[in-house]
Amino acid sequence: MGKNKLKKFADMDSFHCALQYPREVLLSEGFPFVGKWNEEFFHKDGKITLELGCGKGEYTVALAKANPDRNYIGVDIKGARMWSGAKEVEENGIPNAGFLRTEIENIDKFFAPGEIDEIWITFPDPQMQKHRKRLTSTRFIQMYGKFLRPGGVINLKTDSPFLFEYTKRLAQLNGFEILMITDDLYGSGLADPVTSIKTCYEGQWLSRGKQIKLISMRPLGYDNLQEPSSEDIEKDDYRAYPRHHDYTRSSIPNSNR
């Protein structure tokens, strides 16, 4: 492991804005802030938004800066990646942003019923072969329902045509209220200061001429959700960039993710 990554891990241990509860820590210690995020972590009242799979935390930080009356939590398991956003929050004293390093499969263990107002899912792996791992599958939607307030909103921003179509079908099949939907966010004229916040990953796909898709939906219930068929959805014909790739170049051959 490189010295730079080791330093980032050490920094994450010292950052007040970052909590690290991977599965083994969660099982051995539990989590002390369930139902108490505003009181004991943020030390201020405010509606709470989660960014799931936050990566470097660009969305979390930008949202917190733009909306000081709300509180934001970025969630990811990659501590060295999350370090970028946590460092910015720590150095600039941004009081309404925090980070949680854990597996999203355990996300329902960290919040009380109704504690979360909104969820952003930004550029997740579409998991084209395993529907139970998709962050918009019925499995995860039901999990979110354990802590999302009644009427709370789930937003998906993705470059993946496959995941966008799958999520649209799931919302329609289960009668969710669709608040916004577009398969070309920047070409549709629907982009606003919130939806046009760009992550590093988003910049990769925009540089290749890929269209960014967005669906904002409000589940009207979480019982007996039906899983849509995805066998007939065309698979994405491109793959993610390898680590350290210069995404201003367009020399990567097409391949499934």
Side-chain angles (χ1 to χ4, degrees), residues 40-168:
E40 298 192 9
F41 182 80
F42 291 111
H43 305 291
K44 62 183 289 292
D45 288 334
K47 293 180 178 179
I48 302 176
T49 293
L50 294 186
E51 183 194 1
L52 300 180
C54 69
K56 294 182 178 181
E58 300 102 320
Y59 237 90
T60 296
V61 173
L63 286 170
K65 288 180 176 179
N67 302 282
D69 293 334
R70 297 177 66 104
N71 296 324
Y72 295 88
I73 304 168
V75 182
D76 208 300
I77 192 56
K78 299 291 187 179
R81 185 185 302 164
M82 187 188 294
W83 172 88
S84 297
K87 184 172 186 290
E88 183 174 353
V89 169
E90 200 77 7
E91 290 184 344
N92 292 282
I94 301 172
N96 60 326
F99 291 90
L100 174 62
R101 186 175 78 83
T102 195
E103 295 90 350
I104 295 175
E105 287 82 357
N106 294 314
I107 195 63
D108 58 324
K109 308 297 192 300
F110 292 91
F111 306 100
E115 191 168 18
I116 300 303
D117 182 72
E118 182 182 33
I119 294 173
W120 275 93
I121 305 170
T122 48
F123 299 93
D125 187 327
Q127 297 288 351
M128 290 182 285
Q129 305 303 324
K130 301 176 181 178
H131 79 267
R132 283 181 55 79
K133 291 191 174 184
R134 296 172 200 153
L135 294 187
T136 55
S137 68
T138 55
R139 172 197 177 200
F140 279 99
I141 297 292
Q142 288 172 325
M143 191 181 297
Y144 306 151
K146 295 179 181 180
F147 54 79
L148 192 63
R149 70 166 177 83
V153 175
I154 300 171
N155 307 287
L156 170 71
K157 194 177 187 185
T158 182
D159 59 283
S160 167
F162 175 88
L163 185 61
F164 175 76
E165 177 62 26
Y166 164 82
T167 304
K168 180 175 72 173

